[in-house]
Each structure stands twice: as structure tokens, then as C-alpha cells.
Amino acid sequence: MCGIFGWVLGAAKRQDHETLVSLTDLMSHRGPDGSGYWLHETSDARFQIGFGHRRLSIIDISGGAQPMSSYDGRFILTFNGEIYNYIELRQELIARGHHFHTNSDTEVLIEAYRAWELDAVRRFRGMFSFALWDEAEQRLILARDAFGKKPLFLAEQQGVLLFGSEIEPLVRFPGFNRVFDYDALGHFLLNRYVPGPPTFFRAVKKLPPGHFTVWQSGTLKTTRYFTPPIATTMPEIKSLDDAIRLFEETFDEAVRIRMRSDAPFGAYLSGGIDSSAIVATMVRHSIEPVRTFSVGFREAEYSELDHARVIASRFRTIHNELFVEPSAFMEHWSTAVLRRGAPVSEASDVPIFMLSEMASRSVKMVLTGEGADELMGGYPKHRAERWIGLYQWLMPHLLHERLIYPLARSLPYGMRRVKILALAAGERDFVNRMRVWFGGLSVGESEAMLGRLLSATPPDLFPFSSQIQSSLRRTLFFDQTSWLPDNLLERGDRMMMAGSIEGRMPFMDTALASVVSRFPDEFLTGGKGGKTVLRAAMDKILPPEIVRRKKVGFHVPVGEWFKGPYRDLLRDMLASERSNLARLVSGPKLNSLVTEHLNGRQNHERILWSLINLEMFLRTFRVAT
């Protein structure tokens, strides 16, 4: 796990070694164990190639330094991530006559490319973003893993191509124009995150998940190589027992290969079924006690520490806990925005950053439960999507708009979830319904906030392109292609790496995704709490109070903090003369949101959190608006 940075510069834009070092080292938190740099000119001397690397040493600690050159000098690689099936690929390549000089997955990636060229990415069972220079072909390959667990940002400006694991090194490049993308602002208000490929910087884009792009002679060509199998696989498994057996086998392997490490590791444990299942499976494959890490709050209704302790005691883990206080949260908040390179979409990002700092004192890698809900149907919205079609058939659109919609909008502070459910049930446009579930502003509200019309068409239509008839499966496809890579997986990467911790996610395994895509809808969301197969598989392993526990989610009490210790911050960010955001959107609308929340009339904590983070982002990056 590392941070990578690099460039392709026209001859007139060449930079020196010191610039490469200084920009790469802005990501020293991603790789505190080592660094490496490489500068090179194309054979025609028209372009300069630069690779920078910061290393967090986990596999082949002594032999995996980067950028790595192949034994014959043809390939140079800078690589962020892990190829979990590198041992099996190495054996296959040796059988084909390839030679290895290290035990690292980095060299396996190089030799896999030598053997299979661009098709190699389809064989990798892991998380990765990498840049590989092929001297013989004079081309650069940039690639990102199937689900987008590892980031790769690209920027093109006037003879300059930049790429990196984080945005900060790109925007700090000499002469970089930090022009604000106003279209991204509209999408942010609608979604509470910016759907890729755009970012808030007009020149910076995300390489989408499951894509590679090839640079050659000054041009880029981008190709999709992976589509989540939920979009293309028919639900063919009829027996619940067969589904459980297939899940158990594949999940066990997904956890086992993610425990491959030459450095100490552990697991993040929330006390929910997802992380508990991972810990229970890790114990099966570990000869030493598993280290577990949990985070919680003094406010008992927001803390899951008691449930985490049940699992830690059951499996005799070496358990560590962190209590988050409002003051410590504040100390880490601005750094979280800097590392994210964007507004922090969820308040839970910050405690994960804090937990990662604590965990890094004893381990370098953890297994986490991200992706379980998006793979197996664990959110309340997934259960609701199964009957929304029936509701819309029974409830005339006009009646919903005139009766249900106004009632839902007026629901009081404590009924936020019911309000969102009621609003989503009547939304017939699938794109807008996905936005409602996350609690963003409506198109009308966003236009009123901006004082202008906006294009509500998503920047990338692929997450909405599935032609599956099942509304549940369409929603899961959206989750796996937008909500995860552009929100939750960004959190997983940026917040853990901000604390110098690698996070591995067994539920985000491509083989497991293929198996689960064969399950019918009722095996996903049937029963209390959804994730029917997962709960059945864990029924004999985990305590019943964990297996039968409903989905809670990791919630930070910012709504209460906004009315208490963060009250002055709320007003300074959104309602003061210092507010950058107040110059971009309607001041009266901002003030209305703040006032309604503070007096308890409405619970606007989600959108207020998003707007405060946008203001913090504008201040941190000094964006040219």
C-alpha cells in the first residue's frame, strides 16, 4: 500500500528531480516507510516521464522497493495497492518460464503485464492503481482496480499530464490552474458527493473504476475492462443451502488471501455483522490472537462499543478502543478534508481517520467490512426498493405530490428516516431516487440554492445504465459503480491512509461479487435486516444478538454538536462574512437551513454537514472560484 505520483511533460515543461520529490512527499502519510523517484525521457526526447512513490511496507519488506524496474529494464512500475492472488499468479508465470528476483506482488504485476499485456488487469484479485512505462512500446499504462478501492486522479493542462493517488500533489504542480468546476457544485448539492469522473477542480478527473488508460505519443485512450456482475448475471441459485455453501467457501478464501502480509495486521470491529463475520473468519486462519480496533462516542445512543466487546470477548481478540470527543474530532477534521481532496461526505470519515492513527502504532494493515451492504443488500433502501414499484402502481402520482410529499417535507426533527423513505417512495425517476436515499437537496432546492438552473444529468450515466428489471439489482448496481467508489471507498482509502494504515475489504472481492450476483433478490433482502445469506452463514458462528441485530450504521452525533459545541463553527462557515460558500449560493437559503436546524424545527444535519465541508474545502485548497 502506497502513494503514487507522476507526470508526462512536453519538452518545454520539463521539471527537475526536486519537484518530483517534493510533490510525491506530500503523500508521506501514505508511505512512511520509504520513497523512490524516477525521471526518464521518451526515445524521441519529446516527453519527460516522472514516477514518484511513497511506500508502506507490507509484502516483501526488504525487496519490494519502487519504482521497480523489470530485470531487463523494459518496464518501470509505480504501484499502489495489493494483488491478493499474487502467489497463485507467480506460480502460473513461473510455469510459463518467467523469472523472479523478489517475493513482491509488484514484480508479479510487471511479469503479468509482460505475459498478458492489458488483459493482465482482468486476472488481478486485489485493489490497485498503477503506472507502468513500457520502454519497448514507448507507452504508459495507467489502471485502477475493478471496484475502485484504490484512487487514481488525472489532470491534463497545456502539455502536462499528471496522475496520483491524491489530489493535493496535482494541484500543487507549478503553474497548475485551480479553477473551480461549477457543474460539480450542482452535482454535490444533489448527491452530497461529486459523482466521477469530475472533481471540484475543472482540470482534475478520476480514472473510473474498472478502467485503464494508455498514453502514447501524446494521446490518451481509456477502456473499461470490468462491469459488476450484478448487471449481467441472472439469479440462478434456487436453494438457500447452496447459496450459503457458495458464500461460505468464497468469503473464507477472500478473507484468507487478504491476511497475506509480512507486517502486523488486525481488523476494524464495529460490532455489526459485517466486521464480526470478518473477525470470526480471521480467527480461523490465524495462529495468534487477532488485533481488533473499535471507535465510539460518549453519547451511548451513537456508540456500538458494547457490541464490539461481545465479539472481541467471544473470539479472544487483542481489543483496542477509541472514544471520540468533539474537541479531538475538530482537531482532525480539516486534515481529513485535505487528505480527501474534497468535502468529507460523511462525518464518520473523521473517526476512521482517528482510529487509523491509533491502529498504526501496532499494525500496518486491517481488514474492514466496507461493501457488504452494497454487495448483499443490507440497507433499508434495498428492502424498500423491492416494493416501491407496487407503491407507485397503487398510489397515483398526483395524489402523492399533493398529499404524501407535503406531509413528508413537514415531518419533524426526529423523523428524518421516515421522511426520506416517504420522499423516495414517490420519486419515479430512478436517478433522482438514488439521490433522495442519500439525503441531498432536490433539483428544485438545489436550483433555489444556486439561483440558477442546473443540469441534473449525471456526469457519468453508466451507474444508471443497467437494464435489469429488478429495482433492487439496479440499486445495487448503482451502489457498486457510484456510491461506493465515489464516496465510501474514497473514505476507506483516504482516511485509513491518512493514518498510515492499509485497509483490505473482503466483501469487495470480485470472485465473491460473482457468486452473490447469482442469488435471487429474496436471498439478499429477505428477512429482518437484509443480507439473508450472510446472516444464515453466520448463524452458527456469531452470537444471536449480533446476527439478528438490525442495520445501525456508524453515525456521528454532529446534529447535536451543531446545536452545542459546534454552534459557532456552523455560523462562521455558513452565515458569516468569511464564508466563501455564501458568495456561491443563496445566503437566505443557507440561513434558513441553519436556523431551522438550530431551533429544532427540521433535522438538516446531513446537508449542513455537506455545506460546512464544502466551505472547509474551499478554504483549505484556496480554489479559484
Side-chain angles (χ1 to χ4, degrees):
M1 181 66 69
C2 310
I4 66 173
F5 171 72
W7 61 51
V8 180
L9 308 178
K13 301 284 186 176
R14 285 185 179 88
Q15 297 289 324
D16 56 23
H17 182 265
E18 287 70 25
T19 301
L20 181 61
V21 171
S22 64
L23 293 176
T24 303
D25 288 359
L26 291 171
M27 299 184 295
S28 59
H29 52 278
R30 295 185 71 94
D33 297 334
S35 58
Y37 316 93
W38 176 74
L39 279 174
H40 182 69
E41 287 195 354
T42 56
S43 58
D44 59 8
R46 292 175 56 210
F47 300 96
Q48 181 193 57
I49 315 296
F51 284 2
H53 188 265
R54 292 294 314 202
R55 188 182 186 206
L56 182 66
S57 304
I58 294 179
I59 298 292
D60 193 5
I61 293 172
S62 62
Q66 296 182 46
M68 180 179 284
S69 174
S70 62
Y71 67 85
D72 59 356
R74 175 179 172 178
F75 306 111
I76 300 289
L77 174 69
T78 184
F79 162 47
N80 168 33
E82 305 289 352
I83 308 299
Y84 303 127
N85 62 333
Y86 77 100
I87 293 176
E88 291 79 6
L89 288 173
R90 190 175 192 269
Q91 292 169 344
E92 183 177 355
L93 289 163
I94 289 173
R96 292 171 60 102
H98 292 251
H99 302 282
F100 290 87
H101 302 274
T102 73
N103 293 314
S104 70
D105 58 339
T106 306
E107 191 177 18
V108 169
L109 195 159
I110 290 174
E111 292 304 308
Y113 177 78
R114 187 195 300 275
W116 300 301
E117 295 190 332
L118 294 170
D119 281 340
V121 293
R122 296 181 172 91
R123 295 173 174 260
F124 297 151
R125 194 172 173 182
M127 56 181 183
F128 57 84
S129 62
F130 66 80
L132 185 146
W133 176 250
D134 184 339
E135 179 67 15
E137 297 293 332
Q138 292 288 289
R139 67 178 183 175
L140 174 69
I141 293 89
L142 301 166
R144 191 176 177 201
D145 67 70
F147 283 113
K149 288 169 283 186
K150 292 293 99 185
L152 192 60
F153 296 98
L154 308 176
E156 292 186 272
Q157 279 190 342
Q158 300 175 338
V160 171
L161 170 64
L162 307 173
F163 58 87
S165 300
E166 294 186 3
I167 282 180
E168 187 185 10
L170 278 64
V171 302
R172 294 274 293 271
F173 184 83
F176 188 90
N177 191 342
R178 304 188 187 192
V179 175
F180 187 69
D181 188 334
Y182 285 93
D183 289 337
L185 174 58
H187 291 298
F188 177 76
L189 294 177
L190 292 170
N191 298 278
R192 296 206 306 115
Y193 65 94
V194 178
T199 71
F200 272 115
F201 295 99
R202 190 177 298 169
V204 180
K205 308 297 182 187
K206 306 169 190 176
L207 181 66
H211 282 69
F212 59 76
T213 190
V214 178
W215 177 95
Q216 195 165 28
S217 301
T219 62
L220 277 175
K221 182 180 179 181
T222 302
T223 302
R224 175 181 297 279
Y225 70 86
F226 176 84
T227 296
I230 193 74
T232 57
T233 305
M234 294 299 294
E236 61 181 5
I237 296 177
K238 307 299 183 184
S239 164
L240 180 60
D241 288 339
D242 288 344
I244 294 169
R245 175 182 53 78
L246 284 169
F247 170 79
E248 288 174 336
E249 293 172 355
T250 315
F251 181 69
D252 183 85
E253 183 186 36
V255 172
R256 178 180 59 80
I257 63 176
R258 281 164 178 77
M259 294 173 66
R260 290 172 170 172
S261 172
D262 296 325
F265 62 92
Y268 283 174
L269 178 61
S270 70
I273 190 170
D274 308 333
S275 61
S276 299
I278 289 170
V279 169
T281 308
M282 290 176 72
V283 168
R284 187 183 306 151
H285 295 289
S286 180
I287 60 174
E288 299 178 353
V290 173
R291 297 178 176 90
T292 52
F293 303 88
S294 299
V295 62
F297 306 92
R298 301 295 177 188
E299 296 88 348
E301 65 270 28
Y302 291 95
S303 187
E304 297 184 274
L305 289 176
D306 287 345
H307 300 287
R309 290 170 192 149
V310 169
I311 297 300
S313 175
R314 172 74 169 259
F315 295 102
R316 300 179 181 179
T317 71
I318 301 172
H319 192 54
N320 304 267
E321 293 182 346
L322 174 69
F323 282 93
V324 175
E325 305 289 354
S327 58
F329 184 98
M330 179 66 73
E331 291 172 4
H332 287 77
W333 190 352
S334 60
T335 303
V337 173
L338 176 65
R339 300 297 179 234
R340 183 96 182 224
V344 173
S345 293
E346 290 284 4
S348 53
D349 288 25
V350 182
I352 290 173
F353 172 24
M354 298 169 67
L355 185 66
S356 299
E357 281 191 330
M358 183 186 81
S360 67
R361 298 176 196 138
S362 56
V363 300
K364 288 192 175 184
M365 178 268 285
V366 293
L367 272 64
T368 73
E370 274 90 353
D373 295 303
E374 293 78 10
L375 188 74
M376 307 193 71
Y379 290 128
K381 72 175 183 181
H382 294 137
R383 295 190 293 281
E385 282 289 340
R386 292 190 66 192
W387 57 258
I388 274 179
L390 177 61
Y391 171 84
Q392 293 180 352
W393 182 71
L394 293 172
M395 173 65 70
H397 178 65
L398 190 60
L399 183 59
H400 176 89
E401 289 296 307
R402 290 185 175 179
L403 178 63
I404 305 300
Y405 183 84
L407 286 174
R409 300 296 303 176
S410 64
L411 287 174
Y413 185 91
M415 301 185 69
R416 178 178 58 82
R417 289 191 174 184
V418 176
K419 177 179 180 178
I420 289 176
L421 173 60
L423 294 175
E427 180 56 69
R428 283 164 163 77
D429 182 88
F430 182 74
V431 172
N432 284 331
R433 191 162 73 246
M434 294 302 99
R435 293 164 173 160
V436 172
W437 285 126
F438 195 38
L441 297 178
S442 68
V443 174
E445 290 169 329
S446 298
E447 291 179 339
M449 182 73 76
L450 293 172
R452 60 179 171 87
L453 298 177
L454 59 83
S455 172
T457 303
D460 182 7
L461 290 173
F462 181 73
F464 307 96
S465 66
S466 171
Q467 299 302 309
I468 307 171
Q469 293 301 308
S470 163
S471 183
L472 167 64
R473 299 171 86 83
R474 285 188 72 195
T475 303
L476 291 171
F477 181 73
F478 164 79
D479 287 345
Q480 293 171 24
T481 55
S482 180
W483 162 262
L484 268 173
D486 292 324
N487 183 28
L488 292 191
L489 296 181
E490 277 197 13
R491 173 185 74 185
D493 173 81
R494 240 67 93 241
M495 295 303 100
M496 284 188 257
M497 292 306 295
S500 302
I501 282 286
E502 171 179 309
R504 299 182 178 180
M505 305 163 186
F507 285 103
M508 289 275 81
D509 183 83
T510 50
L512 185 62
S514 294
V515 166
V516 172
S517 68
R518 297 165 60 194
F519 298 168
D521 290 6
E522 60 268 25
F523 289 4
L524 300 173
T525 60
K528 183 179 179 182
K531 295 182 283 195
T532 304
V533 171
L534 172 61
R535 293 182 190 278
M538 294 296 117
D539 197 41
K540 296 180 181 179
I541 301 172
L542 299 178
E545 63 266 32
I546 301 298
V547 174
R548 294 177 177 81
R549 217 178 136 218
K550 69 176 183 178
K551 177 71 178 176
V552 175
F554 183 41
H555 189 62
V556 181
V558 291
E560 284 71 20
W561 291 355
F562 284 156
K563 293 189 289 184
Y566 290 173
R567 190 183 187 97
D568 290 341
L569 172 75
L570 181 65
R571 292 197 177 279
D572 173 64
M573 288 284 181
L574 303 184
S576 75
E577 293 181 356
R578 298 179 62 235
S579 175
N580 296 289
L581 185 59
R583 295 193 295 272
L584 297 176
V585 303
S586 166
K589 292 294 182 183
L590 275 180
N591 287 327
S592 175
L593 288 172
V594 172
T595 301
E596 287 182 353
H597 186 86
L598 291 181
N599 65 24
R601 287 178 54 203
Q602 291 289 325
N603 183 352
H604 292 310
E605 68 175 77
R606 282 189 169 191
I607 193 63
L608 288 175
W609 169 262
S610 299
L611 294 172
I612 288 177
N613 274 272
L614 178 54
E615 173 65 20
M616 195 174 289
F617 164 76
L618 293 171
R619 295 184 187 186
T620 299
F621 281 90
R622 299 179 181 177
V623 185
T625 55

